[in-house]
Amino acid sequence: MIVRAMEIGWINSAAIEQLAVGAVRIEGDEAWAAARTRASLEDPALGGGIDELEYRFVNEDGNWKFRFSALVASIDEVMRNLAEQLGADEDDLIFTLVESLSGVEVLPEVWHAVER
């Protein structure tokens, strides 16, 4: 999904490269890491935490695996809160953000299933 979003310009690879992992919390076979920017790790005075956003990992058979679905759930919550604070419709807010970040208009076809 991420690769496809990058191919069509919805996600900028330079933006992804700026993401980093902050403090890690481990409880048994689960771990959470604070989402940060690379700049904030190099200079903590900059801040740079992505409030409310955490990466989640699960240890399966001795291997730590990233849980993308947990990141999506965190982003959903952040978007819901932001839309509520702004008094905006969530879909309209997401489309506006995607368009402003990618420079590509989000068309109504986005609601239709992708054919392979």
Side-chain angles (χ1 to χ4, degrees):
M1 182 169 51
I2 290 177
V3 170
R4 177 67 178 142
M6 290 174 73
E7 288 173 351
I8 61 178
W10 286 5
I11 297 176
N12 181 322
S13 62
I16 296 293
E17 291 170 358
Q18 294 306 309
L19 297 178
V21 174
V24 176
R25 181 175 86 252
I26 300 173
E27 295 176 14
D29 286 336
E30 295 186 82
W32 297 264
R36 296 289 180 255
T37 63
R38 291 192 184 281
S40 72
L41 293 178
E42 293 169 8
D43 184 356
L46 293 175
I50 306 168
D51 293 340
E52 304 175 38
L53 196 55
E54 289 186 312
Y55 304 118
R56 181 173 174 251
F57 303 87
V58 177
N59 191 326
E60 295 179 359
D61 300 321
N63 296 304
W64 286 101
K65 297 184 178 183
F66 176 64
R67 288 294 179 236
F68 182 73
S69 60
L71 180 61
V72 171
S74 292
I75 292 170
D76 283 348
E77 182 66 25
V78 169
M79 292 305 297
R80 214 175 356 267
N81 291 340
L82 182 58
E84 184 178 311
Q85 289 173 6
L86 296 173
D89 177 79
E90 283 183 60
D91 291 340
D92 290 342
L93 177 60
I94 291 168
F95 288 2
T96 299
L97 290 171
V98 168
E99 289 174 5
S100 67
L101 293 171
S102 70
V104 176
E105 181 182 4
V106 178
L107 302 173
E109 290 79 19
V110 73
W111 296 114
H112 301 290
V114 175
E115 294 182 26
R116 293 181 182 227

